[in-house]
Amino acid sequence: VTRSITKHNYLVLDVDDIPRVVQEAFFLASSGRPGPVLVDIPKDIQQQMAVPVWDTPMSLPGYIARLPKPPATELLEQVLRLVGESRRPVLYVGGGCAASGEELRRFVEMTGIPVTTTLMGLGNFPGDDPLSLRMLGMHGTVYANYAVDKADLLLAFGVRFDERVTGKIEAFASRAKIVHIDIDPAEIGKNKQPHVSICADVKLALQGMNALLEGSTSKKSFDFGSWQAELDQQKREFPLGYKTFDDEIQPQYAIQVLDELTKGEAIIATGVGQHQMWAAQYYTYKRPRQWLSSAGLGAMGFGLPAAAGAAVANPGITVVDIDGDGSFLMNIQELAMIRIENLPVKVFVLNNQHLGMVVQWEDRFYKANRAHTYLGNPENESEIYPDFVTIAKGFNIPAVRVTKKSEVHAAIKKMLETPGPYLLDIIVPHQEHVLPMIPSGGAFKDMILEGDGR
């Protein structure tokens, strides 16, 4: 049952195996490409008496033999040669670089290559850096997707060429030579054939390339000034933006205010849907693991428990769960846990009374035909349903609802100043669409830049 969602799983049938199995489980989970490991200990085994032997050796000869070796210097030199020959290079960086933020920044400092990150890679390179192109892909920025489309060299570090990034795979980075560095051999050449591939830890690869750059007698000087200028022009021409309507609260605006009031320092967790994309686009992530989101699995309800974990692990840091009303409802019972544990988790619900992302697809591709995507009460559409403020009070968590743009700034300020858990229910229009958008299976030229459900 759990095979498809774990890296490995164990069923313990002998009580004496527990020390070895637990040690192996932690080793498997944290080495190579990290992933969850399930250890299932049946009740009868749990009840047995045993004298544990703590230093039982691990028994993973096959796995350990297959762990990737440090990257070969010749390959790293080849990558740097390609960088030297290129005119329009782009770094395409993903979740695999979460442990190598410093090395990545140093590499960019020395080469001047612009950086775009995937949804999982947000924060691995600071979003406010002049060389940051922010996120690429289906709901990425115009300039990030432009850069990849026009690039002659794509440095793909710790990424998997996911369909939400590439769209139509043949058209993705079609003018570029591709360098793919990944720790998981199964990802290399899975979706896109690279010209140079290195199966290794990207941290070691970056350290190696940085050492070569720092040690080269010629002090390699790369000049990508004209390429940077071209991309800066795109940034000016196609910034992220949204329309405003009187005193209606635009969800993008609410996130911008949150970004400003937290100075871009908060840890953000999200559910899945429109609110997740807006949180990715309009909050500025500056460090790895500042952004916690269920990307590939798309698990609605991920935000609140993830934020709780972040709050426990990072005392003193503001943690905000930017959630949608649909996602929030899936794990709303965890309000009990954040109250009982007194965790300073701020729940920031962008409530549009709909499953917003499905509504957006219905509007765009299905003639606005609604299939169970309205979450309110059809008997009385003017009242907000369910009433999250009342529910939060039942959990003894302070909660406030805002319906007007003019109230947003003060409400977010109060949320951040209140100690302990807090719920802010922000009522937003359901007609709003996440833009830009490259339709599923589309290419850069198919990008949608305007329109909504109105």
Side-chain angles (χ1 to χ4, degrees):
V1 169
T2 62
R3 192 175 190 176
S4 62
I5 54 165
T6 54
K7 183 173 173 182
H8 192 55
N9 54 24
Y10 286 98
L11 175 64
V12 179
L13 295 173
D14 179 348
V15 69
D16 294 323
D17 286 343
I18 292 175
R20 175 184 59 82
V21 165
V22 171
Q23 190 188 350
E24 285 180 12
F26 274 89
F27 176 73
L28 287 169
S30 55
S31 60
R33 180 178 183 175
V37 176
L38 176 76
V39 179
D40 185 358
I41 306 178
K43 184 81 197 282
D44 57 335
I45 306 291
Q46 291 180 32
Q47 298 295 326
Q48 287 173 25
M49 299 300 276
V51 178
V53 180
W54 296 117
D55 49 3
T56 319
M58 292 194 295
S59 171
L60 298 166
Y63 176 80
I64 289 170
R66 283 195 304 272
L67 281 173
K69 310 280 171 279
T73 308
E74 307 79 84
L75 283 172
L76 298 180
E77 283 170 341
Q78 189 184 350
V79 174
L80 294 177
R81 246 196 326 278
L82 287 172
V83 172
E85 290 161 9
S86 71
R87 292 284 151 267
R88 297 186 300 281
V90 173
L91 268 158
Y92 153 41
V93 167
C97 291
S100 33
E102 278 181 39
E103 290 82 357
L104 178 66
R105 282 202 298 278
R106 183 79 188 108
F107 182 72
V108 173
E109 215 174 278
M110 289 192 282
T111 57
I113 301 174
V115 184
T116 178
T117 61
T118 63
L119 185 70
M120 283 297 276
L122 289 171
N124 292 347
F125 186 76
D128 54 356
D129 188 287
L131 283 174
S132 169
L133 301 168
R134 303 188 77 112
M135 186 171 76
L136 84 165
M138 177 179 279
H139 292 299
T141 60
V142 174
Y143 38 94
N145 289 322
Y146 172 93
V148 170
D149 190 56
K150 299 282 182 281
D152 61 2
L153 176 66
L154 187 69
L155 301 175
F157 292 0
V159 292
R160 61 194 181 98
F161 292 87
D162 169 65
E163 51 93 24
R164 292 290 162 123
V165 163
T166 63
K168 187 179 179 189
I169 197 85
E170 305 77 35
F172 180 74
S174 53
R175 303 173 173 80
K177 283 187 173 156
I178 295 174
V179 175
H180 194 181
I181 303 182
D182 202 286
I183 202 160
D184 183 356
E187 290 299 347
I188 292 175
K190 184 182 81 172
N191 294 335
K192 192 94 175 157
Q193 214 42 59
H195 298 76
V196 178
S197 64
I198 302 177
C199 184
D201 183 341
V202 71
K203 191 182 183 85
L204 298 176
L206 281 165
Q207 284 170 349
M209 288 189 290
N210 290 348
L212 288 170
L213 287 168
E214 280 161 355
S216 61
T217 41
S218 59
K219 261 287 180 236
K220 282 201 182 61
S221 61
F222 302 104
D223 180 21
F224 302 123
S226 62
W227 173 229
Q228 288 163 5
E230 186 180 332
L231 295 180
D232 285 342
Q233 175 58 33
Q234 289 291 312
K235 284 184 184 180
R236 283 192 295 275
E237 222 169 304
F238 299 103
L240 284 172
Y242 52 91
K243 292 196 177 80
T244 53
F245 300 87
D246 305 325
D247 213 17
E248 265 190 344
I249 303 171
Q250 294 310 103
Q252 303 93 322
Y253 167 76
I255 291 168
Q256 282 178 321
V257 174
L258 179 70
D259 186 35
E260 177 196 324
L261 289 175
T262 55
K263 301 187 174 56
E265 295 295 333
I267 293 175
I268 304 292
T270 72
V272 173
Q274 286 183 317
H275 70 274
Q276 175 190 31
M277 293 299 114
W278 286 317
Q281 291 175 333
Y282 288 92
Y283 198 91
T284 312
Y285 302 93
K286 301 176 187 159
R287 57 182 195 276
R289 303 194 197 284
Q290 187 186 349
W291 159 259
L292 306 169
S293 199
S294 168
L297 287 172
M300 290 172 68
F302 176 87
L304 187 52
V312 171
N314 299 276
I317 293 180
T318 305
V319 180
V320 183
D321 165 26
I322 298 179
D323 229 328
D325 49 323
S327 286
F328 179 50
L329 203 53
M330 293 210 169
N331 265 328
I332 196 165
Q333 77 287 345
E334 298 306 330
L335 288 174
M337 181 260 297
I338 65 171
R339 170 77 286 166
I340 298 304
E341 299 294 339
N342 211 5
L343 300 174
V345 171
K346 313 301 179 190
V347 184
F348 185 92
V349 183
L350 297 175
N351 186 346
N352 63 5
Q353 297 283 282
H354 286 72
L355 290 172
M357 188 56 92
V358 188
V359 165
Q360 177 169 336
W361 282 56
E362 287 170 345
D363 287 344
R364 292 274 173 189
F365 312 118
Y366 299 98
K367 300 195 168 81
N369 187 20
R370 297 280 176 260
H372 313 281
T373 43
Y374 173 60
L375 299 178
N377 176 6
E379 309 275 287
N380 181 1
E381 295 198 10
S382 61
E383 77 165 355
I384 303 296
Y385 179 90
D387 183 346
F388 292 137
V389 174
T390 303
I391 292 170
K393 297 226 163 99
F395 285 102
N396 194 17
I397 287 176
V400 169
R401 175 180 297 149
V402 290
T403 55
K404 296 190 176 71
K405 187 176 178 177
S406 51
E407 306 166 338
V408 169
H409 196 279
I412 294 177
K413 194 165 180 299
K414 182 163 193 315
M415 171 183 85
L416 296 170
E417 286 167 358
T418 307
Y422 194 95
L423 185 143
L424 185 58
D425 188 19
I426 303 173
I427 308 304
V428 299
H430 70 272
Q431 296 92 340
E432 202 52 42
H433 283 188
V434 179
L435 294 172
M437 179 181 192
I438 297 175
S440 194
F444 176 67
K445 63 174 175 48
D446 305 314
M447 187 180 295
I448 301 167
L449 293 177
E450 55 191 13
D452 57 25
R454 294 175 181 85

